[in-house]
């Protein structure tokens, strides 16, 4: 939409099919909003935008082969100066090592698995950076903050017994593990910890096991695309009183459906209503564009674009220098506020907001910053 032809392309890599399509399409539109707001430029460079899909209709969510294919395409196309993605941490595990070979900058609006940037499981994070130099950053706080915030909220609700589930994917298991560790430190009784089968036709037996432990709450570490709505439905059918808690993998109330009513859902960062300055301008302007209060992740999409544009402006038209400029950069009065990206590619902003699903909306309830004592290593 800018004048003339673009000097470079910034690509967006999101799962645009499946249960969370409404959320990810809005996120991509927020990225475009930020680029348009910058006049389709990064410094003196004219920037074009390409929205790419890392999902398949068959999977209904991100797909391993599609993620790999996309990453190779970005890597080989020298007009691509940065990629905004991925949305799912498992997809990032595939894409980052590929784009790392050509020092192509990736800025994620949504990945929260800690091991992508910091020491966590064996070989992490080094195995994602075969060149030995980082090329990946994210504007969202990681699950070593999110899991503890969720556990703090469980305790604040006065609940003492919780059953923890995960969807057997890297993100889901990671956030479930950090929740469990923090819950134990807070004196909560974790009555069970296991994975759920995303392809199961019924979770009635699992729900019955959960109820038998006396659990007052269940924490679902994972994404709603992995049969999450059916899982919630069966758990509530067996025990209507149980409190459902989830991380940001369930942050699309449309995908959760009516069974998500009353569930507490965490999302990193401040709620849209609490953003000030440029953030408040975004919420008002973009909200008018989409006809509703933006989903919390839309602000992260817009911020990831702002960060990428700042890096491109400094980079002198080269991938290597564009990528290098992200680490240590400070964004002043950005959409999410003022923050610094550290040497690992992580943001200095670490609040986590607990929302309650009310109909098809997420209502912010409490914003928490977990103390260092609860932010555990892998």
């Amino acid at each position: 939409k800018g004048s003339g032809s673009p000097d470079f392309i910034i690509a967006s890599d999101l799962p645009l099919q499946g249960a969370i399509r409404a959320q990810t399409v809005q996120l991509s539109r927020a990225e475009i909003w930020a680029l348009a707001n910058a006049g389709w430029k990064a410094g003196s460079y004219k920037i074009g935008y390409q929205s790419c899909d890392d999902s398949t209709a068959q999977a209904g969510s991100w797909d391993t082969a599609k993620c790999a294919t996309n990453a190779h395409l970005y890597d080989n196309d020298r007009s691509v100066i940065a990629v905004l993605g991925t949305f799912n941490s498992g997809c990032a595990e595939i894409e980052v090592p590929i784009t790392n070979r050509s020092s192509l900058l990736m800025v994620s609006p949504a990945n929260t698995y800690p091991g992508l940037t910091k020491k966590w499981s064996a070989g992490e994070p080094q195995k994602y950076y075969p060149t030995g130099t980082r090329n990946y950053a994210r504007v969202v706080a990681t699950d070593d903050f999110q899991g503890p915030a969720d556990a703090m909220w469980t305790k604040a609700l006065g609940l003492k017994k919780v059953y923890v589930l995960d969807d057997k994917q890297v993100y889901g298991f990671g956030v479930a593990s950090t929740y469990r560790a923090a819950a134990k430190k807070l004196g909560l009784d974790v009555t069970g910890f296991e994975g759920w089968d995303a392809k199961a036709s019924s979770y009635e037996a699992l729900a019955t096991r959960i109820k038998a432990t006396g659990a007052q709450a269940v924490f679902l570490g994972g994404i709603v695309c992995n049969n999450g709505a059916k899982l919630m439905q069966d758990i509530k059918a067996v025990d209507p009183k149980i409190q459902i808690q989830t991380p940001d993998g369930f942050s699309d109330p449309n995908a959760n459906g009516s069974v998500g009513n009353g569930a507490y859902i965490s999302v990193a960062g401040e709620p849209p209503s609490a953003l000030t300055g440029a953030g408040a301008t975004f919420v008002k302007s973009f909200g008018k564009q989409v006809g509703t209060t933006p989903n919390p992740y839309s602000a992260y999409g817009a911020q990831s674009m702002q960060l990428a544009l700042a890096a491109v402006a400094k980079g002198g038209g080269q991938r290597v220098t564009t990528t290098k400029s992200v680490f240590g950069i400070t964004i002043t009065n950005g959409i999410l506020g003022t923050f610094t990206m550290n040497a690992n590619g992580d943001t200095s902003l670490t609040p986590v907001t607990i929302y309650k699903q009310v109909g098809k909306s997420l209502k912010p309830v409490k914003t928490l910053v977990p103390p260092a004592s609860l932010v555990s290593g892998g």
Side-chain angles (χ1 to χ4, degrees), residues 44-332:
S44 62
Y45 300 107
K46 293 179 287 186
I47 303 297
Y49 177 86
Q50 177 67 53
S51 176
C52 300
D53 187 1
D54 62 33
S55 67
T56 63
Q58 184 179 15
S61 64
W62 69 276
D63 176 80
T64 54
K66 195 75 179 293
C67 292
T69 298
N70 284 7
H72 283 295
L73 289 169
Y74 307 140
D75 187 48
N76 294 328
D77 188 339
R78 304 306 295 191
S79 69
V80 178
I81 195 71
V83 176
L84 306 183
T86 59
F87 188 79
N88 301 96
S89 295
C91 184
E93 285 193 323
I94 297 166
E95 292 201 16
V96 174
I98 296 170
T99 57
N100 181 255
R101 296 187 181 102
S102 64
S103 301
L104 176 59
L105 174 64
M106 293 188 70
V107 179
S108 174
N111 295 155
T112 55
Y113 176 63
L116 291 166
T117 53
K118 59 186 79 172
K119 182 176 173 58
W120 203 248
S121 295
E124 290 177 339
Q126 293 87 350
K127 66 181 182 181
Y128 304 119
Y129 307 102
T131 66
T133 304
R134 303 281 182 117
N135 69 304
Y136 168 87
R138 49 183 161 195
V139 295
V140 62
T142 49
D143 290 332
D144 44 344
F145 292 94
Q146 186 174 195
D150 285 314
M152 289 168 67
W153 186 243
T154 306
K155 184 166 184 177
L157 291 172
L159 304 174
K160 294 179 172 59
K161 292 186 173 184
V162 60
Y163 205 99
V164 183
L165 298 175
D166 72 88
D167 63 1
K168 302 181 183 180
Q169 290 188 353
V170 59
Y171 157 74
F173 180 75
V175 71
S177 298
T178 61
Y179 174 91
R180 175 177 61 170
K184 288 181 176 179
K185 288 179 182 178
L186 290 168
L188 300 177
D189 181 4
V190 178
T191 63
F193 184 91
E194 65 177 292
W196 82 78
D197 178 3
K199 294 183 170 62
S201 58
S202 170
Y203 299 101
E204 187 177 345
L206 172 59
T208 301
R209 288 202 304 278
I210 293 171
K211 184 176 182 179
T213 68
Q216 301 162 292
V218 59
F219 181 77
L220 309 180
I223 59 176
V224 68
C225 300
N226 284 330
N227 218 9
K230 174 63 174 171
L231 176 63
M232 289 191 288
Q233 182 180 30
D234 287 1
I235 290 173
K236 294 292 280 187
V238 170
D239 187 356
K241 293 182 179 179
I242 198 164
Q243 178 63 60
I244 291 177
Q245 272 190 269
T246 80
D248 56 335
F250 286 76
S251 59
D252 183 352
N254 292 296
N256 296 341
S258 59
V259 73
N261 270 325
Y264 289 108
I265 300 161
S266 62
V267 179
E270 299 280 357
S273 59
L275 296 176
T276 59
T281 300
F282 164 77
V283 172
K284 183 178 180 180
S285 172
F286 184 66
K288 186 176 180 181
Q289 189 180 108
V290 298
T292 185
T293 300
N295 180 279
Y297 267 115
S298 292
Y300 285 85
Q303 186 63 77
S304 64
M305 175 62 82
Q306 278 192 341
L307 180 61
L309 292 175
V312 172
K314 283 188 169 186
Q318 302 295 320
R319 281 186 178 182
V320 172
T321 47
T322 293
T323 298
K324 187 177 181 181
S325 68
V326 162
F327 302 96
I329 195 170
T330 295
I331 298 295
T332 304

